[in-house]
Amino acid sequence: MIHLAGPIVLAAALAGAGVYGVLARRNAVLVLVGAELLLNAAGLLAITANALPAGGLAGLSSGAGASAGDPLLPGQVLTIMLITIAAAEIGVALAVVLLVFRRRGTSDLSAVRELGEASPTYTDEVPDLGLPAGRPRA
Amino acid sequence: MIAIAAIWTVFLPAVFAAIGIVLSGRSSAWAAGWAQLGALAALAAAVIELSLVLTRGPVHGLAFLGHADLGSTTISLSLRADALSAMVAVAVGLVATCVQFYSTAYLEPEQPDRYPAYAAAVSLFTAAMMLVIHADDLLLLLVGWEVMGICSYLLVGHHSERPSARAAAVKAFLVTRVGDLGVLVAIVVLLAGAGTTSITQLTERAAGQGPPIPGATLTAAAVLLLAGVAGKSAQFPLHTWLPDAMEGPTPVSALIHAATMVAAGVFLVARLLPLFLAAHGALTVAAVIASITMIGAALAAFAQDDLKRLLAWSTISQVAYMLGGVAVARSVNGAGPGVFHLLSHAAFKALLFLVAGCVSHVIGSTRLLDMGGLRRTHRGLMALFALGLAALAGIPPLGGFWSKEAVLSAAESAAREGAGWPAWLVLGSGLLTTLVTGVYAARAYALVALAPVPGPPKPGVFDVAVGAPHLPPVTAPAALAVRAEPADEPVHDPWLPFAMVWPLWVLAVPTVLLGLVLLRPPAALAGVHVDPLTGFTGTILSLAGVGWALSAPRLGARDIADVLPVGLRAFLREGYRLDAVQQALVVTPYRALARWVGVGDRDVVDAYVRGTSVAARWGGLVLRRAQGGLATGYVAWLVLGVVLVGVAGVVLA
C-alpha cells in the first residue's frame, strides 16, 4: 500500500499542467490535451479521496487507521463515469477541431472568434445555409 | 312572528330583485313582475309587522345573520322591530310598490332592455332601506346605508348616455360618501370608547341604564354621525348632490326623496336619539344645520325654473324640518314630531314626484316655462297636484299640516321650557320657511295648472286650450334659460297610462288622511301634539304665501318669481353658487393633489422600476465586452471562478 500523499501530489501536478495547457496554448489540440489532463487529475483525486482515512488529509499526517472503506466505492465509480464522459467529449471536440482545420486551414483558437460579440470579426448577418424557409410571420 | 315579518321586509325585495334579474334575461315584463311582487311582499310584511308591533310591543335582538367575531369584540348582526321601524317600513313599502308599478308605464316602454337592471336596483334600494331601519347594530346599518349609496349611483345614472346624468351620479355618490365616512369613523369611535355598536345597548347606556359611555366618545360619535346624516339627508353643506340627482328618472326621484335615502339620515337621528341627547352640543349642531337648510332650500326652491329641481329643493327644506323636529327633542321619546313629518312627507312627496312624472310625460319637458294650462286638460291630475302641494305647504286638514305644525309646536314648547336659542332658531326659521313654502308651492301650481299655455300650441295636443284667452307669455330673461336639454326624456303624450294614474290615488290617501293618526297615536308618536296658536300662525303664514303667489297675474307677472331681481334670482336658482364654492374649495385642490400624486407615481415610484431596466441594459452593454470570441478567454473566467470559490471555501471553513 503506497502512501497517499503521492497520488495527491500527482493530481495537483496534472491539474497545474492542465490549467496551463487550457489557458496558455492557442492550438486547439493542445487545449484539448490540457482539458484531458484536468479531467484525469480530478479522477485521480476522487480515487485517492475514497481511500483517505476518517479526517481526510489531516488524519493522513497523524497516521490514524486505514481507509474509511466505503463499500460503495464512490471514488472509483465516479472515475469510471469520468472516463466515459471524457471519451465522448474528446470525440466531439476533435471532430469540431478537424472541421475547423478543414475549413480554415488552421487550428489556432485566436483565428476563429467570429461568434464572440465583442470580437473584431463579429457580424450580425446570418449566413445563408440553404435551409428551407419557415412560414412567414403574420 | 314579528321576527319573520321584519326579516321578510329586508329579504323579500332583495331576493325578488335577484330572481328578477337572473330569470328575466332580456324580457323586461318578467323583471317588472318579479320586482313588483317583491315590493308588494315587502309592503305586506311591513303591514303585518306594524300590526304585531302595535299589539304585542317591540322586539329587539332578532337573530338575523348570527354574530361577527372581530377578535376584540363580538358584533351581533341582529334586527329589531319597534314602532319606529315598522311605521317607516310601511311607508317605504308603500312608496316602493307605487314606484315599481308606475315605472312599468313610465320607463319600461322606452328602454325595455335596460328595465330588468333598473327594477332590480329599485328593489335592492328598498331592501337596503329596510335593512337600515331594522338594523339593531350600527355595523349592519352601515351595510344598508352603503348599499343605498351604490343604488342611488346606479339609479341617478340610469340615463348613462347623457354626460349630465353620469356627472350627477358620480356627484351623488361622492358627496354622500363624504358623510358616510363620518358614520364609519363614528362606529370606530364607539367601538373604541364604548366597546359596542349595538343600537339597543348604546341607546340604553346613553339613557343612563348600565355602564355610562364616556362623554368625549358620545360627543365625537354624535357629531360624526351628524356628518353622515347631512350627507344622506342632503343637509347643508352636503346638500348639493340632491338637485343634480334630478337627472335620474322621475320614479327614482320619488323613491329617493320620499321614503329611502334622504329619510335614512333623519331616521338615524331618531333611532339614536338617546345618544344625541346625552352628547353635549350635538343636537345644537343639528338644530343649526336644520335651520339654515330649511330656509335656504325653500328660497332656492322659489327661484327654480325646473319642476323637478323645485321639488328637490323642497325635499331638502322638508327634511330639514324633520331634522329640526328631532333636534329640539327634550326626552328619549321626543323624536315623534320629526318622524311624523317623515311619514307625511313620504306620502306627499312621492305623490308630487309621480305627478311631476305625469306632467313631464304630457308636456315633454320638466321646465316650468314650457308648462301651463294643465287644469283644463288634466283636471284629475291637477287636483292631485294641488293636494300634494297643499300638504307640502301645510294647509289644514291635510297630513302635511299636522306634521309640520307638530314640528313647530315641538320647537315652540322646547323653547318655552328653556331649551335655549337652538329651539327658538328652529321655531323662527320654521315659521319663515312656512311662508316661503306656501309661496313656492302655489307658484308651482300656478305655473303648471293655471298659467296660459306658453308659445304656439302644438297641433293635436293642446286643442282644448286653444280657445283659452291666449295671453302673451312674459318671457323670462334669456339668462334664465340655463337648461338647454330637458331633465327628463321628452315623451310628449297627453294620454296617461293607467299604471301611472292609480299609484297617485293610492298615495293621495295618506297625504290627506294621515292626520287621523293623531286621534289615537301609537306610542312612538306619543310626543306629537299641535299647539293651536302655533298651528294658527303657521297656517296664516302659509296661506299668505299661497295668496301672494296666486296673485301673480294681477300683479302683471306670469311667474311670481319674476318679482325677484334677475341677479338674486339666478343666485338662488343656482343654489347660492355653493357648487362653485365646492368646486374651488374641494374639487380643484383635490384634482391638483391627484395630479401631483400622479406625477409622484410616474416620476418617483415608477422611476425605480424603470431604473432596473435601464441598469440591466447598461450592465448588458458593459458585460458583452467580455464576449471576446476567444475560447481560452472564457475558460480563464471559469478558472478564476473556481479559484474564488475554492478560496472562499477554505477561508470560510
Side-chain angles (χ1 to χ4, degrees):
Chain A
M1 189 170 178
I2 60 169
H3 195 273
L4 287 176
I8 290 174
V9 171
L10 178 60
L14 282 175
V19 168
Y20 168 77
V22 163
L23 289 186
R25 286 302 184 160
R26 291 291 170 88
N27 191 313
V29 177
L30 289 178
V31 170
L32 278 179
V33 169
E36 285 303 306
L37 287 176
L38 272 172
L39 282 171
N40 285 321
L44 185 56
L45 199 59
I47 295 172
T48 313
N50 200 45
L52 281 176
L57 282 174
L60 194 65
S61 60
S62 67
S67 114
D70 189 333
L72 288 178
L73 299 174
Q76 277 85 334
V77 171
L78 200 63
T79 305
I80 290 172
M81 200 174 131
L82 200 67
I83 290 167
T84 321
I85 291 172
E89 174 250 315
I90 203 75
V92 174
L94 275 179
V96 171
V97 171
L98 202 62
L99 278 173
V100 167
F101 186 79
R102 280 191 187 163
R103 272 215 164 184
R104 304 284 178 90
T106 176
S107 59
D108 187 352
L109 282 179
S110 60
V112 284
R113 44 193 299 189
E114 278 83 353
L115 290 179
E117 260 191 275
S119 79
T121 52
Y122 173 75
T123 172
D124 273 338
E125 287 165 22
V126 180
D128 182 14
L129 300 176
L131 297 172
R135 203 173 43 170
R137 293 253 175 107
Chain B
M1 189 63 197
I2 296 181
I4 295 173
I7 290 170
W8 276 14
T9 57
V10 181
F11 256 131
L12 287 178
V15 168
F16 279 85
I19 293 176
I21 201 160
V22 168
L23 292 190
S24 63
R26 290 204 161 252
S27 155
S28 57
W30 271 84
W34 283 108
Q36 287 162 355
L37 211 56
L40 276 174
L43 175 61
V47 169
I48 293 171
E49 181 195 341
L50 180 61
S51 66
L52 287 174
V53 164
L54 290 184
T55 52
R56 297 188 200 166
V59 181
H60 299 170
L62 303 172
F64 179 54
L65 291 177
H67 300 268
D69 190 0
L70 298 189
S72 58
T73 180
T74 302
I75 289 178
S76 120
L77 301 175
S78 50
L79 300 183
R80 61 188 279 161
D82 52 19
L84 176 61
S85 55
M87 286 189 301
V88 181
V90 171
V92 172
L94 182 66
V95 173
T97 308
C98 290
V99 164
Q100 287 281 15
F101 279 95
Y102 185 92
S103 299
T104 53
Y106 183 84
L107 212 57
E108 197 249 332
E110 184 192 340
Q111 286 170 322
D113 54 333
R114 278 208 207 163
Y115 195 76
Y118 166 84
V122 170
S123 293
L124 189 60
F125 206 137
T126 314
M129 183 64 187
M130 291 293 194
L131 183 60
V132 166
I133 60 186
H134 285 107
D136 195 18
D137 192 282
L138 276 179
L139 214 58
L140 200 56
L141 188 143
L142 183 70
V143 171
W145 191 269
E146 296 290 344
V147 172
M148 274 204 288
I150 190 68
C151 284
S152 73
Y153 169 79
L154 293 173
L155 290 173
V156 170
H158 179 71
H159 295 294
S160 54
E161 66 276 5
R162 285 205 303 252
S164 54
R166 294 197 296 272
V170 170
K171 187 174 181 183
F173 190 69
L174 288 183
V175 175
T176 54
R177 187 48 32 92
V178 172
D180 294 353
L181 212 58
V183 179
L184 189 63
V185 179
I187 289 177
V188 175
V189 167
L190 284 173
L191 261 182
T196 179
T197 55
S198 157
I199 290 175
T200 308
Q201 285 186 32
L202 283 174
T203 48
E204 279 175 0
R205 285 170 61 179
Q209 304 161 20
I213 304 172
T217 305
L218 274 178
T219 307
V223 171
L224 284 166
L225 284 172
L226 269 184
V229 169
K232 250 339 175 228
S233 287
Q235 300 295 293
F236 177 83
L238 296 179
H239 64 274
T240 51
W241 65 272
L242 196 69
D244 286 1
M246 290 301 103
E247 289 292 338
T250 308
V252 170
S253 305
L255 187 69
I256 291 181
H257 288 241
T260 59
M261 197 88 176
V262 296
V266 176
F267 176 85
L268 182 64
V269 182
R271 174 63 97 202
L272 292 174
L273 190 61
L275 198 76
F276 282 92
L277 282 170
H280 189 70
L283 284 183
T284 308
V285 176
V288 171
I289 290 177
S291 306
I292 294 174
T293 312
M294 70 173 80
I295 183 72
L299 285 172
F302 177 45
Q304 294 304 308
D305 286 335
D306 184 284
L307 179 57
K308 282 184 74 183
R309 286 179 82 88
L310 184 149
L311 292 177
W313 282 104
S314 88
T315 300
I316 299 175
S317 173
Q318 296 302 308
V319 174
Y321 263 112
M322 302 171 204
L323 189 62
V326 179
V328 295
R330 308 273 286 150
S331 70
V332 290
N333 295 323
V339 174
F340 189 42
H341 195 52
L342 192 161
L343 296 175
S344 79
H345 176 258
F348 70 71
K349 189 48 68 72
L351 172 64
L352 281 175
F353 265 110
L354 296 187
V355 168
C358 290
V359 168
S360 75
H361 182 86
V362 170
I363 303 274
S365 160
T366 58
R367 291 178 61 210
L368 287 169
L369 284 177
D370 296 337
M371 297 176 183
L374 283 189
R375 199 166 65 108
R376 292 193 181 81
T377 53
H378 296 80
R379 201 170 278 279
L381 186 66
M382 283 305 108
L384 289 169
F385 191 45
L387 267 184
L389 288 172
L392 171 66
I395 307 291
L398 301 175
F401 163 76
W402 298 103
S403 60
K404 182 177 287 188
E405 304 308 340
V407 168
L408 293 177
S409 304
E412 193 229 347
S413 58
R416 280 186 196 284
E417 288 163 20
W421 59 269
W424 287 111
L425 187 65
V426 171
L427 179 63
S429 177
L431 285 174
L432 205 56
T433 309
T434 309
L435 175 69
V436 183
T437 308
V439 173
Y440 75 69
R443 171 178 174 252
Y445 185 73
L447 285 179
V448 174
L450 304 178
V453 183
K458 289 149 188 155
V461 178
F462 290 114
D463 284 344
V464 192
V466 170
H470 196 70
L471 304 173
V474 180
T475 49
L480 293 183
V482 283
R483 299 184 64 81
E485 57 181 303
D488 221 290
E489 47 290 329
V491 176
H492 197 59
D493 179 4
W495 180 79
L496 289 170
F498 181 63
M500 283 173 68
V501 175
W502 71 256
L504 307 179
W505 292 100
V506 169
L507 286 169
V509 173
T511 301
V512 176
L513 297 180
L514 198 70
L516 293 181
V517 172
L518 291 187
L519 292 178
R520 272 187 57 202
L525 297 180
V528 176
H529 73 284
V530 176
D531 183 68
L533 184 62
T534 313
F536 186 69
T537 316
T539 311
I540 291 293
L541 283 171
S542 178
L543 284 174
V546 171
W548 186 60
L550 290 182
S551 68
R554 294 209 186 90
L555 301 176
R558 178 177 192 269
D559 179 356
I560 193 67
D562 290 343
V563 301
L564 293 174
V566 174
L568 176 65
R569 187 174 174 185
F571 182 65
L572 288 177
R573 188 187 55 232
E574 289 158 27
Y576 308 93
R577 306 230 162 88
L578 276 179
D579 278 335
V581 174
Q582 215 168 44
Q583 183 83 20
L585 287 186
V586 181
V587 178
T588 311
Y590 188 82
R591 289 224 168 113
L593 180 68
R595 215 163 30 244
W596 280 107
V597 168
V599 167
D601 188 48
R602 196 181 62 231
D603 293 348
V604 178
V605 178
D606 279 3
Y608 287 106
V609 180
R610 280 197 304 274
T612 56
S613 87
V614 170
R617 185 183 170 80
W618 283 102
L621 281 176
V622 170
L623 287 179
R624 71 198 289 240
R625 311 305 308 170
Q627 299 278 324
L630 191 64
T632 49
Y634 304 154
V635 179
W637 287 110
L638 188 73
V639 171
L640 183 66
V642 169
V643 169
L644 282 180
V645 170
V647 169
V650 170
V651 171
L652 294 180

